[in-house]
Amino acid sequence: MKRFLLITLLLFLPIGWLLMAQSSFAVKKVFDGKVLGSKAVVETMISGRQLASYHLDSFHSLRYSAGEEEAAVVEELVLADATHAAEKETVFVDGKLTYAVLAFQSDPDGNEYICYQNDGTTATLVYMYGSATLDELKNIFKTR
């Protein structure tokens, strides 16, 4: 029984760390399901060795159909986080945010990143943590 509890704790601990890491960001509302509601959302959460080649410890993404109302709320939250970013790159088309890469220095061993991309029909919001540089991530999360 003790072994089962230990294994369960070790399996769910990285997911807990990932969710706690996002707590200081405005976009956390989106990851918590408070913005997109019952829309069809493809959620991906990865942590551990699978990300080692990208110099990341955790990756959490949401891909969804970008309706006007939801896109405006997510854009506002991303821009709120952008005001606190150590580094940022944003692209606006016709006054709407279509691309953003935000970097936050969280501790000496790693950085936190928020990436956003909206092509008008589909949007992707990503949270990442790791030692990767902003230039490395730009190559991964390229504009279209």
Side-chain angles (χ1 to χ4, degrees):
M1 183 67 174
K2 288 181 184 179
R3 188 179 299 175
F4 173 75
L5 290 175
L6 181 62
I7 290 171
T8 303
L9 177 66
L10 291 175
L11 288 175
F12 288 104
L13 196 57
I15 292 173
W17 286 332
L18 178 64
L19 295 175
M20 287 187 332
Q22 298 170 16
S23 64
S24 63
F25 296 111
V27 295
K28 183 178 186 310
K29 292 177 185 176
V30 183
F31 287 103
D32 287 346
K34 296 177 182 173
V35 174
L36 301 176
S38 62
K39 284 214 161 263
V41 176
V42 176
E43 182 174 21
T44 305
M45 293 176 74
I46 305 170
S47 63
R49 284 185 237 182
Q50 297 172 336
L51 297 170
S53 62
Y54 301 107
H55 306 286
L56 292 171
D57 296 325
S58 61
F59 175 93
H60 188 180
S61 74
L62 301 173
R63 186 172 176 90
Y64 56 94
S65 297
E68 286 288 322
E69 188 176 311
E70 293 89 358
V73 172
V74 174
E75 178 180 330
E76 181 181 313
L77 295 171
V78 170
L79 291 173
D81 286 332
T83 62
H84 305 293
E87 293 182 67
K88 64 184 168 188
E89 180 178 330
T90 56
V91 175
F92 291 86
V93 175
D94 297 326
K96 295 182 181 181
L97 182 67
T98 59
Y99 173 82
V101 177
L102 313 176
F104 305 86
Q105 180 72 38
S106 60
D107 60 57
D109 297 326
N111 300 304
E112 292 178 289
Y113 298 95
I114 294 173
C115 302
Y116 173 76
Q117 191 168 13
N118 184 347
D119 65 8
T121 57
T122 304
T124 304
L125 180 65
V126 179
Y127 167 84
M128 295 174 278
Y129 173 81
S131 63
T133 66
L134 187 57
D135 288 334
E136 290 171 333
L137 291 179
K138 284 181 190 178
N139 289 329
I140 296 168
F141 197 78
K142 291 184 179 181
T143 58
R144 294 181 187 174

